Amino acid sequence: MAEVTLTVCTTCRRIAGGEPVADEPRPGARLYEALTQADLPDNVQLKPVECLSACSRGCSIALTGGPARWTYVYGDMDPDTQVDEILTGLRAYAQTSDGIVPWRERPQAFRKQSIARIPPQE
Amino acid sequence: MAEVTLTVCTTCRRIAGGEPVADEPRPGARLYEALTQADLPDNVQLKPVECLSACSRGCSIALTGGPARWTYVYGDMDPDTQVDEILTGLRAYAQTSDGIVPWRERPQAFRKQSIARIPPQE
């Protein structure tokens, strides 16, 4: 099964009142750091990126997995409370061949904080 | 050079006051129809899709182009006024190997209406 990549924007800041909050550590970087400590499935790699162009929805992450899987982009992630949910959703995604996890099996963060999904390229 | 796909959500409705406008033809379907009439580069295919999960930003489109190119998702597209801009941006994207079009060469719709971008998978 193709490699899965969890891409995390490490530049992302928390959004409050529609504006990025500048006077605190970047939650995107903290989220990435927390995920590096996690036990990831063998076919998953974690990758930091400088910008996913979803800055109004930070922290943002993307799940990709080769030409046969749908790509998903999620935003408004909270590094303090949602790491476990991200890992649950990531593990479920990594077990699929097409990237589609049944709705009921998706963690709430993935159900409610979707930014976009992109069809498989093959 | 790898094939490029322009994916158009044909379910998308226009958003007004934060809500989808139901009592008019779907602008996503109209946008797709308008693009089928256009003269596309040889390495570009046009693909309708039922949902890009960017429903609050309809019409939405995605540009993909194999494992070496960045993927881009754009929203709030206007089928009445932005078809030419979409085609300009699409042609520029199709000419790159990595999907990155210099900022100044991007049409305004692509500069201002970006929803997300996803790094190349290779």
Side-chain angles (χ1 to χ4, degrees):
Chain A
M1 201 174 285
E3 283 287 313
V4 164
T5 302
L6 172 60
T7 304
V8 181
C9 173
T10 55
T11 310
C12 269
R13 294 197 177 277
R14 185 165 62 87
I15 304 296
E19 294 293 327
V21 180
D23 58 352
E24 64 181 23
R26 290 175 191 269
R30 288 176 50 225
L31 177 62
Y32 173 73
E33 189 57 33
L35 289 167
T36 61
Q37 309 298 318
D39 185 23
L40 301 179
D42 287 343
N43 65 333
V44 171
Q45 62 168 327
L46 183 66
K47 208 163 90 177
V49 69
E50 269 186 26
C51 185
L52 291 170
S53 283
C55 316
S56 64
R57 299 286 304 272
C59 313
S60 60
I61 62 174
L63 282 172
T64 50
R69 279 195 183 86
W70 283 78
T71 290
Y72 287 83
V73 186
Y74 300 105
D76 310 314
M77 293 287 149
D78 186 330
D80 291 321
T81 64
Q82 295 188 312
V83 170
D84 286 347
E85 281 189 81
I86 292 168
L87 289 170
T88 299
L90 169 65
R91 288 185 186 115
Y93 178 86
Q95 280 172 14
T96 67
S97 55
D98 59 4
I100 299 180
V101 175
W103 184 257
R104 277 189 246 182
E105 295 170 26
R106 295 183 200 180
Q108 182 159 318
F110 282 16
R111 289 191 208 170
K112 306 226 166 174
Q113 292 163 229
S114 171
I115 291 178
R117 61 175 194 163
I118 297 110
Q121 294 199 40
E122 74 178 18
Chain B
M1 203 173 284
E3 282 287 313
V4 164
T5 302
L6 172 60
T7 304
V8 181
C9 174
T10 55
T11 310
C12 269
R13 292 196 178 279
R14 186 164 61 86
I15 304 297
E19 294 293 327
V21 180
D23 59 350
E24 65 180 24
R26 290 175 191 269
R30 287 175 51 225
L31 176 62
Y32 174 73
E33 189 56 35
L35 289 168
T36 62
Q37 309 299 319
D39 185 24
L40 301 178
D42 286 343
N43 66 333
V44 171
Q45 63 168 324
L46 183 65
K47 208 163 91 177
V49 69
E50 272 188 22
C51 185
L52 292 171
S53 283
C55 316
S56 63
R57 299 285 305 270
C59 313
S60 59
I61 62 174
L63 283 173
T64 50
R69 278 195 184 85
W70 284 77
T71 290
Y72 288 82
V73 186
Y74 300 104
D76 310 315
M77 293 287 149
D78 186 331
D80 292 320
T81 63
Q82 295 188 312
V83 171
D84 286 346
E85 280 189 80
I86 292 169
L87 289 169
T88 299
L90 169 65
R91 289 185 186 117
Y93 179 85
Q95 279 172 13
T96 67
S97 55
D98 59 4
I100 299 181
V101 175
W103 184 256
R104 276 189 246 183
E105 294 170 27
R106 295 183 200 181
Q108 181 159 317
F110 282 15
R111 289 192 209 171
K112 305 225 167 178
Q113 293 163 228
S114 169
I115 291 178
R117 61 175 194 162
I118 298 109
Q121 292 198 41
E122 74 179 18

